Amino acid sequence: DAKTTQPPSMDCAEGRAANLPCNHSTISGNEYVYWYRQIHSQGPQYIIHGLKNNETNEMASLIITEDRKSSTLILPHATLRDTAVYYCIVKRLTGGGNKLTFGTGTQLKVEL
Amino acid sequence: KAGVTQTPRYLIKTRGQQVTLSCSPISGHRSVSWYQQTPGQGLQFLFEYFSETQRNKGNFPGRFSGRQFSNSRSEMNVSTLELGDSALYLCASSLGRGLEQYFGPGTRLTVT
């Protein structure tokens, strides 16, 4: 699975959009981009995933560049509860099973 | 629908002992994966089970083993515990292989 690069930390004001970048320049054509987050001392939580089209669900939006070498997770109206470590993971949907390779992620701190 | 449950939540063991951790997946989920999380190594994949068969294994010594039962519940066992095995052990379940995973709260193991 391709490797990802994320900034170690980011700050965001409550109510503002949080834009979390991820670089995955070696992504292959059959690899998806997944985002998970982990609130302190809890298990990781699935957020969203996508292949090449932008995706949106009730939690967030995922914007993938046309060349698929990078993506951005957008939390449209961040709240204090969104403070967590966010992990960007690249993996094949099939063939790779369920192995998730977590990097160090981005520590998002949402402040008043 | 109930989430992934893990028992026990906290455990203290002595070096050389063995330990068994349990995971009950979300109802209907057939795939269970295990992860170890430590401050130094982060989140690392241990193994994945689907239909009672180990499908994938991470880079851990043979002291770490697991199994899955016909009702999809899973256990992992660590024998001859070492101090370095102190970690948060997380279980994740999914409907099938390659789909989004849902994590439990974890078992915090302390080896003294």
Side-chain angles (χ1 to χ4, degrees), chain A residues 14 17 21 37 64 80 89 96 103:
Chain A
E14 189 177 36
R37 73 179 182 183
I64 302 174
L80 298 178
I89 299 167

Side-chain angles (χ1 to χ4, degrees), chain A residues 34 36-38 40-47 49 87 91-104, chain B residues 9 31-33 35 37 43-45 48 56-58 88 90 94 96-106 108:
Chain A
Y34 287 78
Y36 284 77
R37 73 179 182 183
Q38 186 175 26
H40 183 63
S41 296
Q42 296 181 21
Q45 178 187 22
Y46 165 80
I47 301 173
H49 74 278
Y87 296 98
K91 72 178 291 292
R92 290 175 290 167
L93 184 64
T94 58
N98 278 356
K99 177 182 177 181
L100 294 173
T101 302
F102 288 86
T104 52
Chain B
R9 292 293 312 278
S31 177
V32 173
S33 299
Y35 294 81
Q37 185 170 29
L43 271 158
Q44 291 186 288
F45 172 80
E48 171 197 356
N56 210 344
K57 189 176 191 303
L88 179 67
L90 292 155
S94 66
R97 305 191 73 209
L99 301 177
E100 59 265 27
Q101 298 177 53
Y102 298 86
F103 284 78
R108 174 75 63 184

